[in-house]
Amino acid sequence: MGNFSLKPNISIVWRTIALTLLASTLLLAGCATGPVTTQTRIPRPAPPPAAPQPQQPAMPQPEPGVETMPLERGEPLRPQAMPQPELLPPGDMTVEDVQTAVDVAPEAPSDNPVVVSLLQQADSLAASGQLDRAAASVERGLRIAPKDASLWQKLARIRLEQGKYHQAESMAKKSIALARGRPGMIADNWKLIAEARQARGDAVGAQRALDKMMQYSQ
Amino acid sequence: MTKPRKKQSRRRGGRSRIWRALLWLLLIAIGLGLVVGIPWVWKLDRQVTSRFEGNRWELPARVYARPLELYAGLKLSPTALRRQLEWLHYVKVHAVRKPGEYSVKGGRFDIYTRSFNFPDERQPAQRILLAIRDGRLASIKDAASNKPLGLFRMEPVRIANIYPRHNEDRVLVKLDEVPPLLVKALLKIEDKAFYEHHGVRPTSILRAMIANLKAGRTVQGGSTLTQQLVKNFFLSNEKTIVRKLNEAIMALLLEWHYDKDEILEAYLNEIYLGQDGARAVHGFGLASQFYFQRHLSELSPEQLLLLVGMAKGASYFDPRRHPQRVRARRDIVVQVLVREGVLGEDAAQILLNRPLGVTRKVPSSVTRYPAFLDLVRKQLRRDYRDEDLQNEGLVVFTTLDPEIQFQTEQAVVNQLAKIEKDRGLESGILQGAMMVASVDQGEVLASVGGRDPRYAGFNRTLAMQRPIGSMVKPAVYLTALAHPRIYNLLTPLDDSELVLELPNGDVWAPGNYDHENHENVTVISALVHSYNIASVRLGLHVGIDNVVKMLRALGVTSHINPYPALLLGALDIPPIEALQMYQTIAANGYRTPLRAILAVVDQQGQTLQRYPLEVEQVVPSEPVFLLTTALQQVTERGTARALQYLLPPDLKVAGKTGTTNDLRDSWFAGFSGSHVAVTWVGRDDNQPTGLTGSSGALRVWAAAVRKLDTTPLTPVEPDTVQWAMADIEYGLLTDGQCGEAVWLPFLPGSVFPGQLDCDALYMEDEEVFVPEANGGSRTVSTTDTAPTTAKPRGGKRTWGTFR
């Protein structure tokens, strides 16, 4: 065999050599902030056609010609600013100074009417202190639209209320991953993560989350 | 305490000594009677009241599937909806009048749903109108108001009952829920003077005795409803005087303690009305379901009267075994009601002309879904004692999706038969198992434990541990890709011959499935084509311990042997653990413990326990995204490329085949955007089947997934990902001018390979000149894009500069 081979015990050596050689003759990948440096005809790392597209709503969209009904005739859907004020735990956060930055640019929580109605149901249940039932409503929504960022965020909010801080953070992160291109929702999620970390006594982590939130709040 | 039988008239004795002696004897008898009788009656009283009070009946736990959620846009075919209605025992009629009925015309359904107590709310009965067009639910409306409904839940299908030890089963009814006709007829037939007597009627007992003496056998019963209830409490067909006496005393006691309506309600729930194997059918509520598959309130008059007629003796009047006899009995009931003025002549005539209407017996005492119920029981046992499950009448809400379960069963049953036929295998020799779950919620939607899905025997999804073969490899590659500065999808790997000396002195030389060595393969091509030796080298590189850690993180809980053979799938796990492993991958590294239960509710509708959704990020999303890209290529050009024609073209999925030594186990695990599923095919005696993961399990998997209402795979792209176009077989970047270009994701810090040199590739006559690494050469047509033939051995690589 004429080509080099990768032996298990020389990985570090190989890596060093490879890095050195590649830096001069081949490509070198950039770090998180830099683009891929290309030597010749490397395509720009812009979103390629073959790359995965942004998340589609999981609910199948009715095809043209299919009769569709709004949720309630005559009742236009009210986009709600997230998170719901009544769901915020009173006073266990120290983010009043950045609060205003978060609440800018309210986005519609979801473009799926079924999701919106279940979110509303969850909100009113949570407002009356029925957190378990509120969570059950959100889970019902997730069965219909599992990739809906607003549902994951709502569940994160409920878990936070329930004192399940790790779950709150996990779910907020899932919501962030699904909320690409929606800075308002991402910022809300980071704020939620900050609250969860603060509640766990992780002040440093909370501050990091607040920094993240600020990145998306501008 | 009452002593009803102990009252005797006391008369002053006569003058004669004989009379005096008789009086003494009588007094002694009464004295003895009191001494023996008071404790005796006391004992009977305790028996009968304790039976009547409090925990009067042991109630089985009822297990429900997930409800069908209806909303405009839902993928739904008329056939699937009718299947659902059939599982719910709805009756198809021309004009819908009451709950439990539906009519259908074309794609338009008119359904009168039953009320149902969900854990979160009570849903009243409601008439709804559905329109299905082009395989989707086009509209859903409330029939009364004609207003559209945003979201509507059908009542869930009951999938099982967990029975008490005594094998008694009931569906409790309240007196005010029972159709008045049933109560009226019952009293007319069985006990006309029920509301007047005190538990026993001496006159009717006497009349019955005379009639029986005349006939020389029992032709008439003189028992009141209360006596019959007592008899049912302590079922025994003993016909001794003592028995009769006890019954009479207990009847009087019951009447003394309780009012008439309480006794009547108890009777309605207690009366024995049939036998279903080992299970005794008690009460009109259950009898209605057992014989007609409908709720008691939904029965027609002649059906109610049939049940009334059966109260005389359910084994003798069994409508399934003796329809003629039962019909005659029902007609007698009708005639009695006419005589008593309850029914008019005309109405009676209509009823007399109606058939019995008894349904075919369904195997209701055994679940249709034994493999799934096995999982439910296992998860319930963590929180409940067996006796609570059996006696407390708990209601268990589960995650089973009956439609997906149906499609999965069909796929296992049909595909195994087809594989056997196509390959000339002995019919019935193959076994299979398959599980389906939702990706993001980890809800188990279907579970098939064998090719006879109704057979409650060996459950292969939980109880079988088999090596998973190459299905383990994603854990190896994920461990590597979690170090983006060392490994990316185009990192070269060595697939040349490998001989390992094991700690015990053995020598192990893994081979590739095609018995070839492929030099200079890349991470992605080694996974896509499932090259063994490259995978072993990679696993040794990253460390077997780290691979074990990764498997644990992904959700494998079985014992893991940390030997090199692990890297090729010497890992014996049941399908459910493989499902958990792939769920974590499918959900971008967020592990969600697989759940079969959502909530447990008590008899009163109070939620006892919820099983909430839990997620935990166990692997960073970035390497999982890279892995998913590779696993998707497996289904496009790798070992699972058969999916390209087995699935609809727009349904993108990712997955991995698994094949074990001598083709004993055939596995496939894969996922779409919303569903993850694992399939195993093999033999129970662990003999070779001649099937690879691709020719066996993959076929079953595809047949099931094709039928799912599922979303194509669209992995969530992490922010840090950069894209580059590459030819994964050459392992070089390309601009798409030549080679087979695929967009590949890279993480920050990745070391990129060189650029594919198109000029060197292009030759005249559309032929490609590919120098072999060993100096030989061969030509490959550029129009031939089949992955195996287009794969050069060590093509012209830029990184050849540092060989």
Side-chain angles (χ1 to χ4, degrees):
Chain A
M1 53 174 250
N3 295 345
F4 89 96
S5 69
L6 179 57
K7 290 265 164 45
N9 50 354
I10 57 154
S11 71
I12 305 301
V13 179
W14 169 79
R15 191 180 145 212
T16 318
I17 296 169
L19 277 172
T20 320
L21 287 172
L22 285 171
S24 57
T25 59
L26 303 173
L27 305 162
L28 187 63
C31 67
T33 49
V36 180
T37 47
T38 56
Q39 189 188 31
T40 47
R41 290 173 290 170
I42 305 302
R44 297 268 100 196
Q53 296 302 302
Q55 225 48 70
Q56 298 291 321
M59 186 179 119
Q61 292 303 300
E63 285 148 16
V66 173
E67 182 187 351
T68 56
M69 297 292 178
L71 192 63
E72 269 179 356
R73 194 154 277 171
E75 277 259 317
L77 300 172
R78 286 179 299 274
Q80 291 183 310
M82 302 277 293
Q84 291 300 297
E86 66 265 34
L87 277 175
L88 286 173
D92 63 1
M93 268 299 297
T94 53
V95 288
E96 289 83 7
D97 47 341
V98 286
Q99 180 80 52
T100 45
V102 181
D103 288 340
V104 294
E107 297 160 354
S110 172
D111 51 7
N112 183 334
V114 172
V115 169
V116 172
S117 78
L118 286 170
L119 281 172
Q120 283 165 352
Q121 193 180 343
D123 280 343
S124 59
L125 285 167
S128 63
Q130 304 181 70
L131 295 173
D132 276 337
R133 289 183 61 190
S137 280
V138 179
E139 284 199 47
R140 195 179 159 197
L142 283 173
R143 251 162 243 135
I144 294 162
K147 308 286 186 197
D148 190 295
S150 57
L151 286 169
W152 285 103
Q153 187 184 54
K154 184 66 73 190
L155 204 52
R157 179 57 69 186
I158 293 167
R159 295 288 181 251
L160 185 67
E161 289 276 287
Q162 291 174 321
K164 297 176 179 171
Y165 303 120
H166 281 285
Q167 283 300 313
E169 178 165 346
S170 290
M171 285 165 182
K173 280 183 175 164
K174 247 192 115 108
S175 179
I176 289 170
L178 294 165
R180 282 199 94 191
R182 298 170 70 182
M185 178 160 290
I186 294 173
D188 282 348
N189 278 311
W190 279 116
K191 176 165 171 290
L192 215 152
I193 291 169
E195 290 176 57
R197 289 177 179 173
Q198 190 77 41
R200 289 207 301 265
D202 176 8
V204 179
Q207 188 52 51
R208 275 210 307 274
L210 286 179
D211 293 345
K212 277 281 195 182
M213 179 194 80
M214 291 305 291
Q215 279 178 30
Y216 288 95
S217 303
Q218 278 122 43
Chain B
M1 291 309 314
T2 51
K3 296 155 292 237
R5 282 262 156 174
K6 300 297 165 276
K7 281 183 207 152
Q8 294 278 333
S9 61
R10 284 161 151 232
R11 274 181 284 151
R12 285 276 161 202
R15 275 166 217 145
S16 79
R17 271 180 295 177
I18 298 162
W19 279 116
R20 189 173 294 271
L22 279 176
L23 182 69
W24 273 110
L25 272 175
L26 191 65
L27 284 173
I28 289 166
I30 291 170
L32 273 174
L34 287 173
V35 170
V36 178
I38 289 177
W40 180 245
V41 173
W42 178 270
K43 188 182 142 218
L44 291 183
D45 187 63
R46 279 231 312 264
Q47 275 184 17
V48 76
T49 50
S50 75
R51 185 70 208 260
F52 200 95
E53 296 282 347
N55 199 3
R56 200 178 303 165
W57 292 292
E58 296 187 330
L59 285 176
R62 312 245 172 235
V63 185
Y64 287 93
R66 66 155 60 187
L68 176 64
E69 298 268 13
L70 297 169
Y71 51 90
L74 173 73
K75 189 175 166 191
L76 184 70
S77 69
T79 329
L81 182 55
R82 286 178 70 157
R83 255 198 303 269
Q84 184 83 26
L85 292 167
E86 197 177 299
W87 291 323
L88 289 167
H89 303 298
Y90 276 51
V91 180
K92 196 178 157 213
V93 294
H94 288 293
V96 172
R97 272 191 302 264
K98 52 189 174 188
E101 295 182 342
Y102 78 99
S103 71
V104 53
K105 214 177 278 171
R108 298 199 164 265
F109 285 75
D110 180 348
I111 306 171
Y112 206 144
T113 68
R114 301 185 182 114
S115 66
F116 189 83
N117 284 325
F118 284 100
D120 53 347
E121 63 185 356
R122 181 182 162 78
Q123 183 169 291
Q126 190 174 353
R127 215 176 126 194
I128 56 170
L129 304 172
L130 309 181
I132 297 177
R133 236 169 289 148
D134 304 324
R136 295 211 180 266
L137 187 55
S139 74
I140 168 167
K141 287 184 222 167
D142 173 58
S145 62
N146 208 31
K147 273 192 183 146
L149 296 164
L151 179 62
F152 186 86
R153 249 188 313 203
M154 292 293 293
E155 67 184 293
V157 175
R158 194 166 79 215
I159 55 172
N161 301 318
I162 300 174
Y163 289 106
R165 280 151 303 171
H166 304 310
N167 276 313
E168 294 183 355
D169 193 12
R170 284 183 187 75
V171 173
L172 288 188
V173 291
K174 289 212 168 64
L175 187 55
D176 55 11
E177 300 166 357
V178 178
L181 176 66
L182 184 134
V183 177
K184 235 183 263 175
L186 186 70
L187 295 181
K188 291 290 180 202
I189 299 294
E190 293 292 332
D191 190 356
K192 261 188 258 187
F194 176 72
Y195 279 97
E196 281 87 56
H197 63 65
H198 297 286
V200 288
R201 294 179 65 209
T203 51
S204 63
I205 292 175
L206 212 62
R207 200 174 332 116
M209 275 171 70
I210 293 166
N212 293 348
L213 277 174
K214 269 189 193 162
R217 62 195 165 92
T218 314
V219 292
Q220 198 174 337
S223 301
T224 62
L225 280 191
T226 321
Q227 280 171 292
Q228 292 182 34
L229 173 61
V230 171
K231 198 173 159 190
N232 269 279
F233 272 166
F234 308 100
L235 265 183
S236 156
N237 283 325
E238 238 187 306
K239 278 183 181 160
T240 62
I241 289 290
V242 177
R243 182 89 220 159
K244 286 275 170 203
L245 189 66
N246 281 347
E247 264 175 37
I249 295 170
M250 283 170 149
L252 289 164
L253 289 168
L254 272 189
E255 296 272 352
W256 193 67
H257 284 295
Y258 308 105
D259 69 29
K260 288 283 181 187
D261 283 349
E262 284 177 293
I263 292 169
L264 182 58
E265 190 176 280
Y267 177 91
L268 292 169
N269 286 308
E270 180 61 44
I271 181 80
Y272 172 76
L273 284 170
Q275 194 70 31
D276 179 18
R279 176 175 76 131
V281 175
H282 284 266
F284 286 95
L286 180 64
S288 170
Q289 292 192 353
F290 182 60
Y291 294 110
F292 304 109
Q293 303 300 338
R294 311 182 79 174
H295 289 203
L296 190 57
S297 59
E298 295 168 13
L299 294 192
S300 58
E302 76 276 6
Q303 289 171 328
L304 290 172
L305 298 183
L306 187 155
L307 292 180
V308 169
M310 288 177 61
K312 192 175 160 83
S315 351
Y316 186 76
F317 294 110
D318 180 334
R320 291 200 177 101
R321 276 164 55 202
H322 308 292
Q324 301 293 332
R325 190 188 285 171
V326 174
R327 179 154 193 157
R329 172 72 187 160
R330 182 198 73 179
D331 292 353
I332 288 173
V333 172
V334 172
Q335 281 148 14
V336 169
L337 293 184
V338 174
R339 207 168 62 214
E340 296 286 337
V342 177
L343 282 177
E345 288 282 355
D346 297 345
Q349 203 51 52
I350 293 170
L351 296 187
L352 290 174
N353 287 331
R354 293 227 178 117
L356 289 182
V358 172
T359 58
R360 203 174 60 244
K361 188 169 167 182
V362 291
S364 48
S365 63
V366 283
T367 177
R368 290 169 55 83
Y369 312 111
F372 182 80
L373 197 71
D374 202 14
L375 181 62
V376 169
R377 277 177 180 272
K378 199 176 158 191
Q379 297 195 347
L380 276 176
R381 272 200 205 107
R382 289 184 211 149
D383 303 303
Y384 296 93
R385 295 176 307 165
D386 272 359
E387 36 196 288
D388 294 341
L389 288 180
Q390 293 172 335
N391 303 338
E392 298 299 319
L394 300 181
V395 183
V396 181
F397 291 92
T398 73
T399 56
L400 184 89
D401 184 318
E403 177 67 18
I404 295 179
Q405 172 74 24
F406 172 78
Q407 300 296 358
T408 308
E409 289 172 2
Q410 295 282 305
V412 171
V413 173
N414 297 340
Q415 291 300 311
L416 288 186
K418 187 172 182 295
I419 292 167
E420 283 168 352
K421 193 163 161 263
D422 291 352
R423 305 193 146 243
L425 293 169
E426 186 189 329
S427 173
I429 194 77
L430 292 178
Q431 263 299 349
M434 182 165 183
M435 291 184 88
V436 184
S438 62
V439 163
D440 293 289
Q441 292 179 289
E443 294 178 347
V444 179
L445 305 171
S447 179
V448 178
R451 66 188 293 177
D452 181 358
R454 305 281 164 269
Y455 174 63
F458 186 55
N459 179 5
R460 290 164 193 82
T461 61
L462 303 184
M464 177 192 77
Q465 299 219 328
R466 287 289 181 93
I468 60 171
S470 300
M471 236 165 60
V472 80
K473 285 178 187 164
V476 179
Y477 285 76
L478 189 53
T479 311
L481 291 169
H483 300 92
R485 289 182 182 278
I486 308 176
Y487 294 104
N488 62 57
L489 291 176
L490 291 181
T491 304
L493 297 180
D494 182 3
D495 193 52
S496 65
E497 204 179 317
L498 175 70
V499 178
L500 282 178
E501 199 168 313
L502 302 178
N504 64 3
D506 286 355
V507 170
W508 186 56
N512 278 329
Y513 177 70
D514 57 6
H515 305 297
E516 283 186 47
N517 295 102
H518 318 90
E519 289 162 18
N520 300 311
V521 299
T522 59
V523 162
I524 187 167
S525 68
L527 185 56
V528 163
H529 301 295
S530 205
Y531 295 145
N532 284 340
I533 308 174
S535 301
V536 171
R537 277 210 178 85
L538 181 64
L540 294 172
H541 229 183
V542 299
I544 293 176
D545 289 352
N546 289 326
V547 174
V548 172
K549 273 185 207 151
M550 179 60 76
L551 285 165
R552 291 281 179 235
L554 293 174
V556 172
T557 54
S558 292
H559 177 72
I560 302 176
N561 281 320
Y563 305 135
L566 168 69
L567 304 169
L568 295 183
L571 172 64
D572 294 11
I573 57 174
I576 188 168
E577 275 183 49
L579 184 67
Q580 180 72 73
M581 181 180 159
Y582 278 80
Q583 182 276 328
T584 310
I585 296 170
N588 307 309
Y590 287 87
R591 185 180 67 206
T592 296
L594 294 175
R595 287 182 300 167
I597 306 169
L598 297 174
V600 178
V601 174
D602 71 9
Q603 268 182 75
Q604 283 74 40
Q606 293 294 310
T607 301
L608 299 179
Q609 192 129 10
R610 279 179 210 280
Y611 294 78
L613 169 61
E614 284 175 4
V615 298
E616 186 187 353
Q617 186 165 21
V618 290
V619 191
S621 295
E622 289 82 0
V624 179
F625 183 76
L626 267 53
L627 175 70
T628 303
T629 307
L631 292 177
Q632 206 246 310
Q633 290 297 319
V634 171
T635 70
E636 282 200 3
R637 66 189 67 228
T639 50
R641 64 184 173 278
L643 289 175
Q644 291 303 303
Y645 64 88
L646 292 173
L647 292 181
D650 53 347
L651 181 54
K652 260 182 148 188
V653 295
K656 186 73 194 78
T657 49
T659 312
T660 60
N661 289 351
D662 307 323
L663 308 178
R664 289 172 204 272
D665 301 279
S666 163
W667 289 89
F668 188 76
F671 47 94
S672 68
S674 48
H675 294 91
V676 54
V678 167
T679 308
W680 169 87
V681 172
R683 285 173 57 162
D684 279 346
D685 59 8
N686 201 14
Q687 291 303 303
T689 60
L691 297 171
T692 61
S694 173
S695 58
L698 179 71
R699 312 285 148 164
V700 179
W701 191 93
V705 170
R706 193 170 53 210
K707 298 279 186 172
L708 291 184
D709 175 12
T710 193
T711 49
L713 179 68
T714 48
V716 176
E717 182 188 326
D719 285 338
T720 52
V721 159
Q722 300 157 352
W723 293 87
M725 209 189 264
D727 183 307
I728 67 170
E729 305 301 341
Y730 286 92
L732 296 171
L733 300 178
T734 170
D735 54 6
Q737 299 295 308
C738 63
E740 214 182 330
V742 177
W743 284 102
L744 292 181
F746 292 85
L747 297 179
S750 296
V751 178
F752 282 79
Q755 184 78 7
L756 185 62
D757 186 347
C758 286
D759 296 340
L761 280 176
Y762 278 112
M763 299 292 286
E764 289 162 29
D765 300 319
E766 293 185 314
E767 295 282 296
V768 180
F769 175 72
V770 183
E772 284 278 8
N774 59 10
S777 66
R778 62 184 191 139
T779 52
V780 178
S781 164
T782 48
T783 51
D784 182 1
T785 54
T788 43
T789 51
K791 189 179 174 329
R793 303 278 178 269
K796 187 175 178 192
R797 290 166 192 272
T798 329
W799 59 48
T801 49
F802 59 93
R803 77 178 64 151

